[in-house]
Amino acid sequence: MPDPCGVFTAATLDEATSLIRAAICPHRLRVNEAPRKGVAFLSSLDLGACGLTSIKYGFDVDIDAGCIEDTYLVKWTLAGEGQLWCGERTAITSPRSIVITEPTEHTKIRMTAQCQHLTVRVSRRALLETLAAKLRRPLRKALQFNLEIPMDSDFSRAWCELVAHICHISATAPAALASEGVRRQYSRTLMEIMLGAAPHSHMDSIV
């Protein structure tokens, strides 16, 4: 859990939508079966330019996030299998891969009752500024990542290890994450791993 001391249970669809809007992004929620007890379970940790959110619904749901223009979503599926659409591209969400959305494309997500996602939201502005600094020039084309990256890739291994480490520090040494400098450093490291190891449209330009 990103924040074991801050696990929220939503009892209604409106509560679930509000919690996830605050933690990740605005969205529309469509229920594919009648909710049972406990609509959604959420834990979130704000790191500044990045933020971690673990989410599990108690039923099958379609999420219409639209164009999340200011945020990349990096989704690690801990359990279950669903589907994600980003513009004309589609990916299966499962423990076999990491999925990275494109902020300028319409995003929809289907989660089953078995699905649990650990999503990292990444500020598009901060990521583009980091990339421009690495290139030492303004960007001449859009930054787009491969939608689906296998779990046996260097990126996915590094990403999961770092995210799991942050969750472990949050659980065992929460005072360390009270430091704004520590949170900023973790955000910078997450962005560096994205730009350095995940396949994207500027890979050939990064030295």
Side-chain angles (χ1 to χ4, degrees):
M1 285 290 178
D3 182 4
C5 296
V7 179
F8 298 95
T9 301
T12 67
L13 294 177
D14 286 345
E15 284 183 11
T17 302
S18 291
L19 284 172
I20 297 164
R21 178 186 295 116
I24 304 177
C25 67
H27 66 286
R28 292 190 296 276
L29 200 62
R30 188 180 74 192
V31 178
N32 298 329
E33 63 177 80
R36 301 183 182 89
K37 182 179 178 182
V39 167
F41 305 90
L42 177 143
S43 175
S44 190
L45 178 65
D46 186 6
L47 298 174
C50 300
L52 281 59
T53 299
S54 176
I55 178 69
K56 177 176 174 60
Y57 290 95
F59 50 92
D60 295 352
V61 62
D62 284 334
I63 302 164
D64 187 346
C67 289
I68 317 167
E69 295 184 357
D70 58 351
T71 304
Y72 288 89
L73 301 181
V74 186
K75 301 189 77 63
W76 175 11
T77 301
L78 302 178
E81 187 171 293
Q83 196 165 3
L84 181 144
W85 295 264
C86 196
E88 296 182 353
R89 299 179 297 163
T90 185
I92 299 299
T93 57
S94 79
R96 297 185 296 276
S97 63
I98 299 287
V99 172
I100 304 179
T101 65
E102 163 56 44
T104 63
E105 295 179 346
H106 194 110
T107 298
K108 295 186 291 184
I109 303 159
R110 176 167 295 160
M111 294 177 67
T112 67
Q114 292 74 41
C115 288
Q116 181 177 359
H117 289 181
L118 207 170
T119 299
V120 179
R121 59 158 178 80
V122 181
S123 164
R124 183 187 182 196
R125 183 178 69 176
L127 191 62
L128 295 182
E129 288 175 351
T130 302
L131 176 57
K134 291 174 79 67
L135 297 176
R136 298 181 181 178
R137 59 168 172 79
L139 302 186
R140 299 186 183 123
K141 61 181 178 180
L143 172 63
Q144 185 177 78
F145 292 87
N146 286 12
L147 182 63
E148 190 172 3
I149 304 171
M151 195 56 81
D152 62 357
S153 66
D154 285 354
F155 164 73
S156 295
R157 291 192 190 99
W159 187 263
C160 294
E161 287 288 343
L162 179 56
V163 170
H165 164 76
I166 294 170
C167 291
H168 179 70
I169 292 297
S170 178
T172 60
L177 287 176
S179 163
E180 184 178 351
V182 171
R183 295 196 304 272
R184 281 201 306 264
Q185 185 58 55
Y186 278 128
S187 283
R188 284 193 292 268
T189 305
L190 287 164
M191 291 189 288
E192 288 286 348
I193 288 175
M194 285 182 72
L195 294 174
H200 60 76
S201 55
H202 287 267
M203 282 291 285
D204 293 342
S205 303
I206 296 178
V207 178

